[in-house]
Amino acid sequence: MGTHIPGPEPRPDGGVGAVAAAGGLHRYQLWLHAEYGPVVRFQLPGAETAVSVADPVLLEATAHIDKRPERLFEFLAPLCEAGNLQVLPAEEHTPWRRVLLSVLAGRPSHERHFERFTELTTSLADRWAGRGEQEPVASQKDLTALSLRMIGAYALGGDAADPEKVIAAFEEVLTEYLGRLYQVPVPGTEEERARRAEQALAYLRATVDRVLTAHRPDSRTDRSDLIGALVAAGEDPARIRDTVMVTMLAAHHTTGVAVSWTLHLLGRHPEVAERVAGELDRVLGDRAVPGYADLRRLTYLDMVLKESMRLFPPGPYGARETTEALVLGAYEVPAGTVIFYPFWAVHLNPDHWPEPERFVPERFLPEEVAKRPRLAYIPFGLGPRSCEGAGLATVEAQLVLAVLLKRFRFRPVPGHEVTPIERFVLWAADDIRMFVSPREVGAGSP
């Protein structure tokens, strides 16, 4: 492989020690590109050697790739009994993705489910309103549970019976299998960990099976129902179960995490929060919640969400595998090379994001967006393996933020450390704890 590509010297441990010393792969990528430039060769645990590309212009040469490196996604294999959905070959992946997009990306179905999303969000807001102002909320925990309820209502046709138990089970499974991949110490003996992970997985499968058993597609075959769409497409029951599992996993993590990081940033930038509140008051007036059509008018809120996902992308990285030789600027990489997508490093690339660590929502004004390469901002990935649920996640996040910021002000808890760690998504190690206080309608700045 192009040994002339700069990068650290190989280590006998396959790079595991370097990743651990940096504080995780999410932070290691930042160090690699700060040290070696926009294209870096490095040891990636689970893939031996990889090429990481943080230049959005050079990323264009990889955007067509529809193959994921199987070893890197082995940790998700336990969730799938009919073949790991994350590494399906292109001929299987393309029609499967088309079915998912027909459900998850459709505006009419978003609008049909919007009222239920609003009810679920309002219920959370009511619970937060019932707490004392000096009793902080665990926003990450509560918002991921809300996200799971929302994906249950949207894709499965009903609520997940016990969202917190489902979330805990997912965490148990992922902690065990990610720990194996990155050789991260996990409490308990190997046998105990394996037993806990197996019990959690059995619970998850039983939960999904109950949903599948209870599913009765109506005569209209509502395509907004994920299960109905998969049945109509002729998928077998095992593949349907796997798809539901992976959808629940992806949807409950990413949306809840994106919203909690946004509230975290707004709590530390009250002037931006006041401007969001002012926009909400102008657009909604005395209404406590937006309608679906209102979301398009909340342009500053959208910029705030985008800037938050730039600074804290829910998925901090991705990977592909070349099926033919590829030219990346001055470098050539052969077929079979793992291309690492360092989303966080791309989003903090100072060549395209001046003072990249500052929170500046105005970066997403249309005239500013037009100045940047297309792939300078990729929170949902890129190419034929990008996130099928990007449109749905955006609607959910905008709605949740609108409801919460219309009703509340958020303040950080003094002394509470918020540390990003890698847990399949960019997670906060000890949650994001915030004080919540009511705001009066019309209290936002003009």
Side-chain angles (χ1 to χ4, degrees):
M1 154 169 322
T3 53
H4 60 292
I5 297 176
E9 288 297 315
R11 299 164 56 121
D13 65 0
V16 171
V19 172
L25 191 52
H26 61 306
R27 293 208 174 276
Y28 188 45
Q29 61 174 279
L30 301 181
W31 178 82
L32 282 172
H33 288 286
E35 189 76 13
Y36 295 102
V39 182
V40 182
R41 170 197 41 78
F42 75 110
Q43 288 174 290
L44 179 62
E48 296 177 6
T49 310
V51 173
S52 184
V53 185
D55 183 325
V57 176
L58 295 180
L59 278 176
E60 290 282 1
T62 75
H64 66 285
I65 302 175
D66 191 1
K67 179 175 172 57
R68 281 193 172 125
E70 293 188 11
R71 286 179 60 192
L72 285 181
F73 290 86
E74 282 179 357
F75 72 97
L76 287 174
L79 294 176
C80 301
E81 293 181 304
N84 191 335
L85 296 174
Q86 296 301 310
V87 295
L88 287 177
E91 59 271 17
E92 280 188 75
H93 173 252
T94 300
W96 178 77
R97 175 180 169 84
R98 194 175 298 124
V99 174
L100 292 188
L101 287 171
S102 75
V103 182
L104 300 174
R107 286 188 182 182
S109 59
H110 294 174
E111 194 164 9
R112 282 197 296 274
H113 289 269
F114 196 79
E115 183 178 353
R116 181 58 180 151
F117 289 171
T118 304
E119 291 171 356
L120 291 166
T121 306
T122 301
S123 177
L124 172 63
D126 290 344
R127 291 206 309 279
W128 282 3
R131 302 168 73 98
E133 289 187 29
Q134 296 308 309
E135 184 183 358
V137 300
S139 65
Q140 185 175 250
K141 173 177 172 287
D142 289 351
L143 288 164
T144 50
L146 171 63
S147 295
L148 185 58
R149 289 186 175 97
M150 292 170 87
I151 195 62
Y154 183 86
L156 308 178
D159 288 335
D162 189 342
E164 290 192 12
K165 191 172 180 181
V166 169
I167 290 169
F170 273 127
E171 291 305 310
E172 190 74 61
V173 172
L174 289 174
T175 297
E176 170 64 10
Y177 287 96
L178 277 171
R180 291 180 192 177
L181 177 63
Y182 294 115
Q183 300 178 28
V184 175
V186 179
T189 66
E190 186 175 339
E191 293 77 14
E192 289 171 342
R193 295 197 310 269
R195 185 175 66 254
R196 289 200 307 266
E198 200 56 45
Q199 289 172 343
L201 192 54
Y203 168 75
L204 289 173
R205 286 189 173 134
T207 299
V208 175
D209 280 341
R210 282 196 296 273
V211 175
L212 293 177
T213 301
H215 178 74
R216 297 288 183 271
D218 64 27
S219 58
R220 293 177 291 107
T221 314
D222 186 355
R223 300 292 292 188
S224 71
D225 179 339
L226 178 59
I227 296 172
L230 291 164
V231 169
E235 294 287 357
D236 63 50
R239 175 62 60 81
I240 293 173
R241 183 193 304 115
D242 292 352
T243 302
V244 171
M245 291 271 283
V246 170
T247 300
M248 289 169 67
L249 169 68
H252 97 262
H253 268 82
T254 49
T255 307
V257 166
V259 174
S260 56
W261 283 119
T262 304
L263 295 178
H264 165 73
L265 288 164
L266 289 174
R268 283 153 178 75
H269 297 84
E271 74 288 352
V272 177
E274 283 298 302
R275 185 170 170 187
V276 172
E279 179 181 72
L280 286 164
D281 290 343
R282 287 193 304 274
V283 172
L284 304 186
D286 292 336
R287 288 179 292 140
V289 300
Y292 181 75
D294 291 319
L295 297 185
R296 297 185 67 180
R297 300 169 61 200
L298 298 173
T299 54
Y300 191 66
L301 176 70
D302 182 59
M303 288 191 286
V304 166
L305 175 61
K306 286 175 176 172
E307 176 70 344
S308 300
M309 289 197 293
R310 181 187 71 82
L311 285 167
F312 296 103
Y317 52 78
R320 304 289 187 270
E321 184 177 320
T322 60
T323 55
E324 56 190 9
L326 197 65
V327 175
L328 294 172
Y331 310 113
E332 182 174 336
V333 295
T337 301
V338 172
I339 301 293
F340 184 76
Y341 286 160
F343 299 145
W344 210 12
V346 173
H347 286 184
L348 296 179
N349 185 329
D351 292 340
H352 303 285
W353 304 99
E355 297 181 272
E357 295 188 4
R358 286 186 60 217
F359 177 58
V360 184
E362 289 75 15
R363 298 181 199 270
F364 287 91
L365 288 165
E367 58 268 28
E368 294 300 316
V369 173
K371 296 175 185 177
R372 291 190 295 268
R374 180 177 71 97
L375 299 180
Y377 175 68
I378 43 177
F380 297 107
L382 65 148
R385 294 276 180 171
S386 62
C387 175
E388 291 87 2
L392 174 63
T394 300
V395 167
E396 290 177 340
Q398 289 173 337
L399 168 64
V400 174
L401 287 168
V403 171
L404 296 179
L405 294 169
K406 179 70 170 163
R407 288 181 63 170
F408 303 121
R409 284 190 170 87
F410 292 86
R411 293 180 293 115
V413 174
H416 174 60
E417 193 80 22
V418 177
T419 305
I421 59 172
E422 176 194 349
R423 286 292 181 273
F424 185 64
V425 293
L426 202 59
W427 195 255
D430 187 26
D431 214 300
I432 299 175
R433 303 182 189 281
M434 307 195 76
F435 290 124
V436 178
S437 57
R439 63 173 292 268
E440 296 178 6
V441 173
S445 59

